[in-house]
Amino acid sequence: MENPPAFRPSFAGEGVVRALLRARDWSNFPYGQPEAWPREIRSTIEMVLDAAAPTAFYWGPDCLYFYNDAYLQVLGDKHPAALATPFWGSWEELREGFAPILAEALAGKACNLSDIRFTVVRNGVPETAYFSYALYPVFGARGEVAGILNPAVDSTAAMVSNRRREFQLRLGDLIRELTDPGDVVAGASALLGEYMGVDRVVYLTVDDAGEAGSIGRDWSNGHLPSMAGVTVRLDDYGAFAAQGARAGRHLIISDVVADERSAPFAHAYAALGVRAVLAIPLLKNGRLRVILSAHDSAPHVWTKAQIGMAEDMLERTWSAVENVGAQAELRRERDQSEYIFDNMAEGFAMLDTAWRIVRMNGEGLRLTHKTAADVIGRSHWEVWPGLLGTPLEALYRQVMDDCRSGVIEVPCATPQGEIWMEVRAYPALDGGLAVFFRDVTARRKSDEKLRETDRRKDEFLAMLAHELRNPLAPISAAAELLQLGKVDEARVRQTSQVIGRQVRHMTSLVDDLLDVSRVTRGLVELDMQPIDIHRIVTDAIEQVTPLIRTRRHHLGLELTPDIPLVSGDRNRLVQVFANLLNNAAKYTPEGGHIGLRTEVRPDHVLFHITDTGIGMAPSLAARAFDLFSQAERSSDRSLGGLGLGLALVKSLVHLHRGTVTCSSPGLGQGSRFTVCLPRLAAQEEQAAAPPQEAPRPRSGGPALRIMVVDDNADAASVLAMLLESARHEVIVEYDASEALALSAASGCDVFLLDIGLPGMDGIELARRLRAQPETADAVLVAITGYGLQSDRIQTAAAGFDHHLVKPVDIDELFAILANVGQPGD
């Protein structure tokens, strides 16, 4: 048996980690030089280096640490010292919690870790991030565990979103139960400090002049002293800070010493122990009322999530403090002033022991759509008889009987429709009830939306786990196969192809996630140029043609004879239409019909993509462009993907100031997507029109008989389709020997030969074609990835007439074909 093929040169390719591994002196490494490493170890390390997602590998009982470039964000300053060294030398702080899990993996059991917290460096700035890990044993040639494969997924965005949602819910629960304003401020400040991870949270009540503020209650984790009872002047910390607060602007300083605005006042901040500060002002009726500040004793980069939580806490705490204060005053004094009574932000009513309404404020009358004459002095049950026998009546009777407060949310009918009221009932001094109520319809809708978002997020995460596990299964199986011992070359090649395909699939999934994230966060910059709409459509069709041909669809085109221009980023617009066509091809059963029609109007251009596919229910069509909607559209996951394509389409179209819509008659009745893009004005089109030049012919010249020989089936198929569109007759062969056997009787005028063919390469095939009389005069065109002058000399010596470099310039190829048979050819 032949010896197995040699590995490629150690750590060949681009990347920071590869370069370090190539430059390393391996003389003292426990397992010797890389060339002597076991094949399964080399294969696994190369796979790790090729992976797009953060991935690591621990080798041997000492867990020698290898990782790829994407993993550097996890390591931070532990790199490069960690590379190819024992794992615990870099991560001793994780030993207590991680050692038992790693031991299980070393014993041969796959393990998963979710949402592990790290401090990573992104764009030179340290920040908290979360990663979910999997630990997969890699087995050696004798079946022993040789190492651990450790792929990772960045789950930071989900964790941040979940924490903010959890914070909002906990804050609501907290302030709902408290009745003292000071307790509300202290409790909310402590909760905010816990979630933000800062040293101190201060709630500063500003005086009427807006120049000074007093601190009643605050929160500190012990690293900074409490400021409770302190009064501060705003101007002491810089006019920029005071003026900004009075104008309602946030103050965000990561380092008071380094920030040029605060540096002149660093001594004032230092007196408070503050090195980083976030200050959120609250204005009511145009006047500064409160400043909420978060302090850190060390430099701190404030995140959007932290700022959002501080904004949430300030607004809700202010409202709670106002309401709690008013409620406490009302419970203490029944004869409070009518001014305070009527300026409360929620409805209020007083009921006596006979259920008569003795008082109701203006907000209460507005919420109930009543006048004072309608309610004062009348029985509550006479005014609202529909509430008898409901949970609200039960609550009122319980509060009156037990003298304990209660709260409930109930639906209420109004002339404008049903709304939800939060009703809080308190025992009054005379045995009656004090009732506070407010419209919480918007909050309930928001909560329902949050629950729906959570549900769809959970479905998406389950789908993501499914999609990531699918390629891991064949990768794992392939790794097992490679470790079985002696494997023939063909099986090694086949197994390597399996791993390559599955890694590319995983990379595609991660790329989809990153692409959607970049676009939706506004991190994509468009290269806006005047573009011919037909060129956009043509390029998109070329990308999707392999899938359309594989599924045997018919693609019908109706392109307007007019060729207007739109302003856009060519690559991104091609991505839009390729995604829509790909979507149509995936969701249309084999042999279906896909249509693409353009429609030109004075101010815009319409693109209609239709299919005869599975269609969708109206409820799904209405949100087809929402993230993760494919989880509902294809629950069996037979078509794969993450359901991000249409969300990306919508974002990109909106960036081009356009719109995209979706409609479907129903399930099984196909779908229709329409993209509308602004058209350049006539004078802009004329100014942007490219200079006239003689185009190279695509379909000119005689119809030829052409043989395409390429072992890449997709490349050969697409090229054949382009040639057939120009009326040429095309024969496709994937093997040089079979092409040679067929060539003599084929009657081909032209042979398009890939040079890198397995077995007999394109050079040898060309020599043999020139040697046999039937093909001696045919036109031979070399298609290769090499374009040096020495390469062109080699193909010319083999008998080639032309030399084209991949990717082939189609215009140049058609120009060559148009001249076949002409004098001098």
Side-chain angles (χ1 to χ4, degrees):
M1 179 180 293
E2 295 181 0
N3 291 327
F7 284 108
R8 61 178 175 173
S10 297
F11 316 119
E14 298 180 353
V16 173
V17 176
R18 288 183 182 277
L20 288 173
L21 291 173
R22 285 196 301 270
R24 184 185 179 94
D25 180 4
W26 299 97
S27 58
N28 293 323
F29 189 69
Y31 299 104
Q33 297 295 325
E35 292 77 14
W37 294 354
R39 177 177 296 275
E40 59 272 17
I41 299 300
R42 285 285 301 275
S43 298
T44 301
I45 292 175
E46 287 294 340
M47 181 177 66
V48 167
L49 296 175
D50 288 339
T55 308
F57 174 64
Y58 315 137
W59 183 8
D62 291 333
C63 294
L64 301 176
Y65 204 20
F66 292 83
Y67 44 83
N68 60 6
D69 285 7
Y71 201 87
L72 298 183
Q73 62 176 314
V74 180
L75 286 166
D77 59 7
K78 297 180 187 295
H79 173 78
L83 187 59
T85 63
F87 174 84
W88 296 120
S90 301
W91 294 103
E92 181 60 33
E93 66 271 25
L94 300 181
R95 185 182 292 273
E96 180 177 354
F98 190 55
I101 300 170
L102 188 58
E104 287 188 22
L106 289 170
K109 180 180 178 182
C111 305
N112 290 283
L113 300 173
S114 298
D115 303 323
I116 306 303
R117 179 174 177 173
F118 287 92
T119 298
V120 303
V121 178
R122 289 174 172 156
N123 300 319
V125 178
E127 66 179 62
T128 298
Y130 298 83
F131 291 84
S132 294
Y133 288 87
L135 299 177
Y136 298 106
V138 175
F139 296 92
R142 298 184 302 277
E144 81 284 5
V145 176
I148 305 298
L149 183 63
N150 175 211
V153 175
D154 188 342
S155 55
T156 304
M159 282 293 294
V160 169
S161 175
N162 288 342
R163 281 180 62 80
R164 182 169 180 181
R165 190 157 45 246
E166 180 186 20
F167 170 79
Q168 292 170 337
L169 294 174
R170 287 187 61 186
L171 179 63
D173 292 340
L174 172 71
I175 62 179
R176 186 179 296 115
E177 299 294 329
L178 298 175
T179 58
D180 179 77
D183 291 343
V184 170
V185 169
S189 297
L191 189 64
L192 180 65
E194 171 192 345
Y195 272 79
M196 293 181 68
V198 295
D199 292 336
R200 183 170 59 205
V201 176
V202 172
Y203 189 93
L204 183 76
T205 303
V206 181
D207 62 17
D208 291 343
E211 296 180 356
S214 60
I215 302 168
R217 303 277 290 275
D218 69 351
W219 172 86
S220 171
N221 64 1
H223 292 166
L224 290 176
S226 171
M227 294 182 65
V230 173
T231 298
V232 298
R233 289 184 52 79
L234 304 187
D235 287 329
D236 290 346
Y237 304 96
F240 73 97
Q243 293 170 3
R246 296 181 190 113
R249 294 192 297 271
H250 295 2
L251 177 65
I252 305 172
I253 301 179
S254 299
D255 188 340
V256 297
V257 175
D259 193 305
E260 62 183 10
R261 298 171 300 167
S262 57
F265 306 91
H267 61 284
Y269 291 96
L272 302 177
V274 175
R275 187 67 183 269
V277 61
L278 168 66
I280 311 293
L282 178 70
L283 276 64
K284 292 294 179 181
N285 298 321
R287 183 166 71 84
L288 179 62
R289 305 299 298 272
V290 173
I291 300 175
L292 175 67
S293 294
H295 299 161
D296 227 330
S297 56
H300 184 116
V301 177
W302 304 100
T303 66
K304 290 183 179 179
Q306 291 176 321
I307 296 171
M309 284 192 287
E311 292 170 338
D312 293 343
M313 179 272 203
L314 177 58
E315 188 64 40
R316 298 188 68 176
T317 301
W318 162 263
S319 178
V321 167
E322 288 292 286
N323 289 334
V324 166
Q327 294 164 19
E329 185 66 14
L330 285 171
R331 289 194 300 270
R332 290 191 300 268
E333 300 180 64
R334 294 186 57 190
D335 58 347
Q336 62 185 300
S337 73
E338 289 295 327
Y339 177 81
I340 296 176
F341 178 75
D342 283 329
N343 283 278
M344 287 176 54
E346 61 182 340
F348 172 75
M350 291 289 295
L351 280 65
D352 65 16
T353 55
W355 304 107
R356 285 190 299 267
I357 304 170
V358 297
R359 177 175 291 181
M360 183 175 287
N361 69 352
E363 180 65 9
L365 296 172
R366 185 190 70 79
L367 288 172
T368 59
H369 298 271
K370 302 291 184 181
T371 66
D374 293 331
V375 298
I376 301 301
R378 298 179 62 188
S379 168
H380 182 280
W381 310 119
E382 179 186 350
V383 178
W384 292 288
L387 295 177
L388 283 167
T390 68
L392 182 64
E393 182 192 5
L395 173 71
Y396 281 0
R397 294 188 181 278
Q398 176 187 330
V399 173
M400 194 174 287
D401 293 342
D402 298 344
C403 293
R404 297 178 60 183
S405 63
V407 61
I408 193 173
E409 291 184 4
V410 294
C412 298
T414 73
Q416 285 72 39
E418 184 178 80
I419 65 172
W420 281 84
M421 290 278 196
E422 179 188 79
V423 182
R424 299 188 305 284
Y426 299 88
L429 294 176
D430 60 358
L433 294 178
V435 180
F436 298 83
F437 51 98
R438 57 177 178 152
D439 184 348
V440 294
T441 308
R443 196 249 303 154
R444 284 185 67 94
K445 289 181 178 178
S446 176
D447 289 346
E448 178 61 31
K449 186 175 181 180
L450 283 173
R451 284 190 289 271
E452 174 65 13
T453 300
D454 277 348
R455 182 187 65 79
R456 291 173 57 200
K457 179 259 298 180
D458 291 341
E459 289 178 352
F460 171 72
L461 290 177
M463 179 175 64
L464 175 60
H466 175 83
E467 287 294 316
L468 290 176
R469 289 191 183 103
N470 274 346
L472 286 175
I475 289 174
S476 177
E480 291 283 353
L481 182 60
L482 291 174
Q483 295 163 15
L484 291 178
K486 295 182 178 180
V487 182
D488 61 52
E489 181 178 353
R491 181 60 59 87
V492 169
R493 183 182 300 110
Q494 180 185 9
T495 304
S496 176
Q497 291 170 351
V498 168
I499 293 174
R501 281 195 301 271
Q502 298 306 321
V503 168
R504 286 192 296 273
H505 176 57
M506 291 183 71
T507 301
S508 175
L509 296 177
V510 175
D511 287 344
D512 282 350
L513 286 169
L514 294 177
D515 214 4
V516 168
S517 174
R518 285 192 294 264
V519 171
T520 54
R521 289 186 294 143
L523 301 181
V524 170
E525 295 184 4
L526 300 181
D527 180 15
M528 304 295 282
Q529 299 290 337
I531 308 174
D532 168 0
I533 65 168
H534 288 186
R535 182 63 181 272
I536 300 170
V537 170
T538 300
D539 289 352
I541 291 173
E542 287 181 1
Q543 289 190 18
V544 184
T545 292
L547 177 59
I548 292 176
R549 289 174 65 91
T550 298
R551 296 180 65 83
R552 297 184 289 107
H553 294 319
H554 171 71
L555 176 62
L557 300 178
E558 295 182 45
L559 305 183
T560 60
D562 299 332
I563 309 179
L565 300 181
V566 297
S567 178
D569 184 307
R570 175 174 171 272
N571 290 335
R572 288 299 184 177
L573 287 179
V574 169
Q575 186 178 10
V576 165
F577 293 107
N579 270 347
L580 290 174
L581 289 169
N582 183 75
N583 191 69
K586 284 173 61 178
Y587 290 104
T588 299
E590 290 193 6
H593 179 86
I594 299 171
L596 194 158
R597 179 171 65 88
T598 59
E599 181 181 348
V600 177
R601 296 185 181 177
D603 299 324
H604 52 270
V605 183
L606 298 175
F607 302 79
H608 305 284
I609 295 92
T610 59
D611 62 63
T612 57
I614 64 175
M616 61 187 88
S619 59
L620 181 56
R623 58 179 194 278
F625 300 98
D626 292 350
L627 282 173
F628 323 135
S629 63
Q630 190 200 19
E632 301 172 49
R633 183 171 183 175
S634 178
S635 60
D636 63 358
R637 305 300 308 130
S638 60
L639 298 173
L642 296 177
L644 303 177
L646 293 183
L648 184 59
V649 164
K650 179 181 178 181
S651 297
L652 290 174
V653 170
H654 283 187
L655 286 176
H656 285 83
R657 295 179 295 109
T659 61
V660 58
T661 59
C662 168
S663 63
S664 174
L667 294 174
Q669 302 181 60
S671 303
R672 176 192 183 98
F673 291 84
T674 298
V675 176
C676 178
L677 294 176
R679 178 182 176 182
L680 288 181
Q683 59 270 28
E684 292 179 291
E685 287 189 1
Q686 185 174 4
Q692 296 296 317
E693 61 180 42
R696 286 182 278 187
R698 281 201 167 200
S699 58
L704 303 172
R705 188 172 177 81
I706 303 171
M707 180 180 289
V708 175
V709 185
D710 194 331
D711 62 324
N712 186 318
D714 289 340
S717 176
V718 172
L719 182 56
M721 185 172 60
L722 289 171
L723 294 170
E724 289 169 348
S725 70
R727 300 181 294 105
H728 298 299
E729 182 180 354
V730 183
I731 300 171
V732 176
E733 289 293 335
Y734 308 117
D735 180 81
S737 298
E738 294 180 5
L740 182 62
L742 181 64
S743 63
S746 67
C748 288
D749 305 295
V750 179
F751 290 84
L752 304 181
L753 309 181
D754 179 30
I755 297 302
L757 296 170
M760 182 192 308
D761 64 15
I763 297 292
E764 180 59 28
L765 178 56
R767 291 194 181 101
R768 298 194 185 189
L769 290 174
R770 285 288 182 233
Q772 63 183 16
E774 296 86 354
T775 56
D777 297 327
V779 175
L780 305 186
V781 181
I783 297 178
T784 176
Y786 299 99
L788 298 177
Q789 184 60 32
S790 58
D791 302 313
R792 297 179 183 276
I793 292 173
Q794 184 182 21
T795 56
F800 282 101
D801 299 288
H802 302 281
H803 183 111
L804 299 182
V805 178
K806 295 179 180 179
V808 173
D809 185 325
I810 300 301
D811 289 332
E812 184 179 356
L813 174 59
F814 277 112
I816 292 172
L817 299 178
N819 291 320
V820 171
Q822 301 297 321
D825 178 66

